[in-house]
């Protein structure tokens, strides 16, 4: 994947991402070809391979940018407990509902889960003291448990297609109730 700072390559990368997600709205991931993506951008196929190696790499890059944005966003907020963490998590990712839903519907939940764990543990997103956790090792396991649970709830929410899907604020409050955390 392209890591440089060339403005033209960066613009091309953004065009490819936009075209990919635009096509993904009406086609499954398997149905979309590199040729279709590049046809939607008026860029050459060679340009695609100079920037990305595959369609999956587009997803990886997109999620990296979303999670980097989340970490920056979360650093501006105080997270004192699990309720604060859940509110911050769900309110942020609600803004990305449409693209995240496309990712989940196309069977790429595993990529979303992996990126959540990678960024949320690395970013010390859940750095407050969890109830009953006494050692650093326990903290690491507890953090994994909390992150995995929130990601699973996010995926469940993205799969909801009923008339009245649960709103993200309610999801955060549900986590507080389930875990007995303070509101």
């Amino acid at each position: 994947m392209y890591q440089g700072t060339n403005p033209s390559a960066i613009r091309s990368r953004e065009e490819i991402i936009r075209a990919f997600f635009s096509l993904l709205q009406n086609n499954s991931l398997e149905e979309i070809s590199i040729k279709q993506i590049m046809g939607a951008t008026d860029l050459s196929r060679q340009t695609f391979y100079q920037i990305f190696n595959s369609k999956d790499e587009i997803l990886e890059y997109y999620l990296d940018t979303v999670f980097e944005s989340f970490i920056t966003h979360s650093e501006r907020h105080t997270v004192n407990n699990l309720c604060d963490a859940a509110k911050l998590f769900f309110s942020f990712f609600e803004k990305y509902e449409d693209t995240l839903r496309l990712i989940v519907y196309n069977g790429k939940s595993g990529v979303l889960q992996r990126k959540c764990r990678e960024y949320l543990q690395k970013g010390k997103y859940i750095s407050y003291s969890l109830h009953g956790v006494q050692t650093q090792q326990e903290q690491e396991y507890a953090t994994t448990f909390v992150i995995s649970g929130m990601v699973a709830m996010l995926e469940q929410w993205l799969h909801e297609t009923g008339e009245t899907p649960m709103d993200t604020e309610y999801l955060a409050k549900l986590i507080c109730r389930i875990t007995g955390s303070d509101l």
Side-chain angles (χ1 to χ4, degrees):
M1 177 176 7
Y2 179 75
Q3 300 293 328
T5 59
N6 179 297
S8 177
I10 291 169
R11 278 192 304 277
S12 295
R13 179 177 60 203
E14 297 308 314
E15 278 187 62
I16 291 168
I17 292 167
R18 275 193 299 280
F20 173 74
F21 279 105
S22 178
L23 289 167
L24 200 56
Q25 290 176 6
N26 299 309
N27 304 283
S28 72
L29 183 63
E30 292 79 29
E31 294 172 334
I32 298 171
S33 67
I34 304 301
K35 183 178 181 178
Q36 286 176 300
I37 296 168
M38 300 318 289
T41 65
D42 292 328
L43 297 169
S44 73
R45 190 176 171 98
Q46 179 183 0
T47 300
F48 178 88
Y49 288 108
Q50 289 172 341
I51 298 172
F52 295 109
N53 292 317
S54 66
K55 295 180 291 184
D56 283 345
E57 204 169 82
I58 297 172
L59 291 175
E60 293 270 342
Y61 176 80
Y62 174 77
L63 289 173
D64 282 339
T65 61
V66 168
F67 280 99
E68 287 168 6
S69 178
F70 175 73
I71 295 302
T72 300
H73 175 74
S74 66
E75 288 170 350
R76 291 184 295 226
H77 293 82
T78 302
V79 176
N80 294 314
N81 55 44
L82 183 55
C83 289
D84 291 344
K87 288 175 190 173
L88 184 64
F89 180 83
F90 289 117
S91 67
F92 179 85
F93 286 102
E94 184 175 31
K95 294 182 280 188
Y96 295 92
E97 175 183 355
D98 294 337
T99 52
L100 293 177
R101 186 167 275 131
L102 291 173
I103 291 168
V104 169
Y105 282 173
N106 278 279
K108 295 298 183 176
S109 293
V111 178
L112 177 61
Q113 292 168 4
R114 184 171 40 79
K115 291 295 180 182
C116 274
R117 284 191 306 274
E118 175 185 331
Y119 279 91
L120 299 184
Q121 287 175 330
K122 175 178 73 176
K124 302 296 182 213
Y125 163 66
I126 299 180
S127 59
Y128 56 86
S129 179
L130 293 166
H131 179 70
V133 175
Q134 299 171 356
T135 67
Q136 179 61 33
Q137 184 180 29
E138 287 179 355
Q139 178 76 28
E140 290 170 12
Y141 275 93
T143 299
T144 298
F145 174 79
V146 168
I147 290 169
S148 297
M150 287 198 303
V151 172
M153 287 181 78
L154 178 65
E155 286 179 74
Q156 177 70 27
W157 178 72
L158 291 168
H159 277 293
E160 274 188 6
T161 56
E163 291 179 27
T164 55
M166 209 176 270
D167 73 19
T168 55
E169 187 175 329
Y170 186 83
L171 282 176
K173 289 177 182 177
L174 180 59
I175 286 179
C176 298
R177 287 197 339 252
I178 290 169
T179 60
S181 302
D182 293 330
L183 286 173

